[in-house]
Amino acid sequence: MRPTALRPSFCTALHCIGVIHREMFWLAYALVFLGCLGLPPADAAVVEHTFSVGNLTIDRLGQRQVITAVNGQFPGPMLEARDGDAVVVHVVNYSPYNITIHWHGVLQRLSGWADGPSMVSQCPIRPGGATYTYRFNVTGQEGTLWWHAHVSFLRATVYGALLIRPGPDRPHYPFPAPYGEATLLLGEWWNASVVDIERQAMLTGGPPNNSVALTINGIPSGYELAVRHGETYLLRLVNAALSYQLFFKVAGHAFTVVAADACYTDPYNTDVIVLAPGQTVDALMHANASPGRYGMAAQVYQSVANATYTTTTTGLLRYEHGAEAAGMSTIMMPSMPEFKDSATAQDFYGSLTGLLRDGKPTVPLHVDTRMLVTYGLGIAPCMPTQTLCNRTRGSVAASMNNVSFQLPKAMSLLEARMRGNADGVYTRDFPDRPPVMFDFTNGSMSSNRSVMLTSKGTRVKRLRFNTTVEVVLQNTAILGSENHPLHLHGFNFYVLAQGAGNFNARTAVRSYNLVNPQQRNTVAVPAGGWAVIRFTADNPGVWVMHCHLDAHLPFGLAMAFEVDDGPTPDTVLPPPPPDYPQC
């Protein structure tokens, strides 16, 4: 396996961020779309790509497998832009499945039509060569994000990195410039069709089959990274796995975390990085060990008490000319945490703080709307379409405040909002609190069917424009306690506090970090615990919040915020583009 070539840490030529046009073809687009965002068109480039989605036959683990991929690549192509650029991606669907693309972590300011979750912001792009062009601006963001399919389990193979580099107004990182950088996408692999795996899970009403391997940049084992002794490298880590949080280590080396979810952090020194599905981490690694060969590993962090699935994927960090010159053949492997080492995971998650670039706190202190949202797994009666479901036991269901979220069938939520006709598509009555208060983290409640059974519905929470929202996310243990990563579309949020057990407002408020909390778009809420997030609803549209363990989304672990338009033209969501997909 050829080692990854480390690229310079900064773009020095326009061609490194894709195909960029400044012709008159895009002048109207730049003036209207970028202008409504308050961005001077002269400061923005247009980064344009075409994604051709189709079948790809590849060999992994000694087997030949047909997967869905973009441009014949697995993982898919890396997109690069600068803060302030406009991104245009033409998606052509030649695959046999419906497809949408979500730009994970992009704020989509006034561009909710490009967000991507199927039946939330759009109907899917149909098979047979149907097309849709995603147009959005990246504003006020820098760091590592990613893109992935947002239909079925297709994101298992349809994903790639999205790197946002500093813009011309602030062209440097807020940390010493690294010598080079590498992007590592951590994923999963099945020796089967992931669409069939999801379909089987839905038919039975149970969990999907486990993957057979973890991957680094699509490779189950054998990924190699070459470094030069004495230099510093920026590692961009993405957890693209469907089902597992991951520990990541490199033997003999330590990291300094400088960003998470494309939000800068105070420098945090550690020898282990923990990522939940959907999360990204930027970390500096100092290549200051004795020249040689060092193992790197991504290993499952298993937060479910009775789970037995454990797996690890390994790669190699090799010093250029080091091992060969010294005649070294031994590879030092990292000492990994235990698979169920929740203490190490929570120590990492809870230790990050946000970097105050201008020296001033930015957390909104006045709160307009407070919510307590309990979530987890429960039971629902088998549906008629679940032909293999045990009708005595029922089907696994997931819910938030006892509402198991159902995606609409005939029209996306965002289109219904635009038409001013939510009737028959969704209701605006998502509860601010759970219907029943109980000992949420007590696993013995699994025998109480009154708390196990959930109701199905497409219920959203309506917010006035510019409302500040505080949400307590309370994990439940009805069908077992698990660390659920919750992802909010359309916003970054502040993680004010996290803790174990049931949330207690009187004691928890003392631990709130209102000065420099970390910002995220995906938070790993502790198993049997809680997290408090706060954000300002200043982006009109419909934005889903859901568990990023992919099996939990079709079971209903989601809800949505409907944010009203603001009072001025530049705070109103524009109409959808002409090629907006129809159901």
Side-chain angles (χ1 to χ4, degrees):
M1 187 66 61
R2 295 182 62 187
T4 295
L6 287 167
R7 297 173 292 104
S9 59
F10 292 95
C11 280
T12 57
L14 291 179
H15 69 266
C16 76
I17 55 174
V19 180
I20 299 179
H21 298 282
R22 294 185 184 273
E23 289 84 5
M24 293 298 293
F25 179 80
W26 290 110
L27 180 58
Y29 170 78
L31 290 173
V32 175
F33 182 68
L34 299 182
C36 79
L37 298 181
L39 180 69
D43 289 346
V46 176
V47 180
E48 186 178 7
H49 293 264
T50 296
F51 278 11
S52 179
V53 184
N55 288 344
L56 174 67
T57 302
I58 61 174
D59 294 311
R60 290 291 186 274
L61 302 177
Q63 294 191 29
R64 180 159 292 186
Q65 182 71 28
V66 177
I67 65 171
T68 305
V70 172
N71 295 354
Q73 302 175 43
F74 173 62
M78 179 186 297
L79 271 59
E80 299 186 57
R82 296 178 305 166
D83 179 17
D85 285 350
V87 178
V88 178
V89 182
H90 311 282
V91 176
V92 187
N93 185 14
Y94 295 113
S95 83
Y97 309 111
N98 290 335
I99 198 74
T100 68
I101 302 295
H102 171 52
W103 316 94
H104 188 111
V106 174
L107 298 180
Q108 299 291 0
R109 306 287 295 182
L110 297 181
S111 57
W113 308 106
D115 190 39
S118 180
M119 302 312 299
V120 177
S121 67
Q122 67 171 95
C123 296
I125 308 167
R126 300 298 186 186
T131 66
Y132 180 46
T133 296
Y134 292 91
R135 290 183 168 91
F136 56 90
N137 190 38
V138 286
T139 305
Q141 294 188 268
E142 300 174 11
T144 303
L145 296 174
W146 63 302
W147 58 265
H148 60 79
H150 214 295
V151 175
S152 180
F153 277 16
L154 288 175
R155 82 166 178 86
T157 57
V158 179
Y159 65 88
L162 171 57
L163 310 184
I164 306 175
R165 301 187 182 279
D169 292 341
R170 186 179 273 178
H172 303 296
Y173 296 126
F175 48 82
Y179 173 79
E181 62 180 58
T183 301
L184 279 66
L185 293 145
L186 311 177
E188 292 181 76
W189 180 259
W190 283 262
N191 282 331
S193 163
V194 293
V195 174
D196 291 344
I197 287 170
E198 183 195 25
R199 184 180 297 119
Q200 182 72 9
M202 293 306 295
L203 288 175
T204 61
N209 292 336
N210 291 325
S211 57
V212 297
L214 299 177
T215 60
I216 301 177
N217 288 354
I219 304 170
S221 63
Y223 172 79
E224 188 172 326
L225 183 64
V227 297
R228 180 172 296 180
H229 185 265
E231 302 292 355
T232 299
Y233 295 86
L234 177 63
L235 300 187
R236 300 177 179 271
L237 301 171
V238 178
N239 186 346
L242 268 64
S243 307
Y244 299 109
Q245 301 183 71
L246 300 172
F247 294 118
F248 178 83
K249 293 188 74 172
V250 177
H253 294 75
F255 311 103
T256 300
V257 175
V258 292
D261 290 0
C263 297
Y264 289 121
T265 66
D266 289 324
Y268 175 68
N269 297 320
T270 179
D271 68 343
V272 60
I273 292 173
V274 191
L275 302 100
Q279 291 185 332
T280 71
V281 167
D282 291 355
L284 298 174
M285 184 191 72
H286 310 287
N288 53 8
S290 299
R293 299 192 298 171
Y294 297 84
M296 67 174 67
Q299 173 192 284
V300 165
Y301 157 50
Q302 189 61 267
S303 64
V304 181
N306 60 353
T308 59
Y309 178 79
T310 57
T311 191
T312 302
T313 185
T314 58
L316 181 67
L317 184 141
R318 177 178 61 81
Y319 279 76
E320 295 177 351
H321 314 299
E324 295 86 347
M328 298 174 62
S329 59
T330 302
I331 300 175
M332 178 187 296
M333 296 305 296
S335 175
M336 301 300 292
E338 295 295 324
F339 288 98
K340 297 183 179 181
D341 190 349
S342 293
T344 292
Q346 199 53 41
D347 182 63
F348 180 88
Y349 289 139
S351 296
L352 300 181
T353 53
L355 178 66
L356 301 180
R357 298 193 71 175
D358 298 319
K360 298 178 181 178
T362 56
V363 184
L365 299 180
H366 173 76
V367 176
D368 302 297
T369 298
R370 298 181 188 273
M371 302 175 67
L372 169 62
V373 177
T374 59
Y375 67 94
L377 303 182
I379 294 292
C382 300
M383 296 183 294
T385 54
Q386 293 180 291
T387 55
L388 302 179
C389 182
N390 184 324
R391 300 191 180 278
T392 302
R393 182 195 63 197
S395 170
V396 172
S399 67
M400 304 185 85
N401 278 356
N402 208 44
V403 180
S404 184
F405 190 76
Q406 304 297 295
L407 291 170
K409 303 295 185 183
M411 182 185 299
S412 72
L413 299 179
L414 190 56
E415 183 175 357
R417 174 193 182 275
M418 181 269 295
R419 294 178 180 274
N421 185 19
D423 293 345
V425 181
Y426 64 90
T427 59
R428 298 182 173 98
D429 58 350
F430 182 84
D432 287 347
R433 300 181 65 81
V436 178
M437 301 295 290
F438 59 96
D439 187 355
F440 301 119
T441 59
N442 184 348
S444 65
M445 297 300 292
S446 61
S447 61
N448 186 339
R449 291 187 67 83
S450 67
V451 300
M452 286 180 66
L453 293 174
T454 65
S455 62
K456 297 181 182 292
T458 309
R459 303 168 65 181
V460 309
K461 171 66 177 178
R462 187 174 185 177
L463 299 172
R464 299 189 318 274
F465 180 81
N466 226 30
T467 295
T468 296
V469 185
E470 182 175 296
V471 184
V472 177
L473 299 166
Q474 174 68 61
N475 213 326
T476 65
I478 298 171
L479 284 188
S481 181
E482 184 172 3
N483 188 316
H484 294 269
L486 292 183
H487 172 50
L488 175 60
H489 290 227
F491 302 95
N492 287 329
F493 49 76
Y494 295 95
V495 183
L496 302 185
Q498 302 176 69
N502 294 319
F503 176 78
N504 184 310
R506 283 179 295 181
T507 56
V509 71
R510 302 171 193 160
S511 66
Y512 281 18
N513 181 352
L514 299 175
V515 178
N516 63 338
Q518 60 178 298
Q519 292 188 69
R520 288 278 198 176
N521 61 60
T522 305
V523 60
V525 183
W530 51 268
V532 181
I533 67 172
R534 190 179 292 182
F535 68 97
T536 300
D538 56 358
N539 193 10
V542 179
W543 308 103
V544 66
M545 180 169 68
H546 64 91
C547 181
H548 224 270
L549 302 176
D550 263 37
H552 294 174
L553 178 55
F555 283 132
L557 213 166
M559 59 84 63
F561 293 101
E562 179 188 19
V563 180
D564 291 343
D565 289 329
T568 59
D570 62 348
T571 58
V572 174
L573 179 67
D579 62 342
Y580 183 65
Q582 298 298 306
C583 292

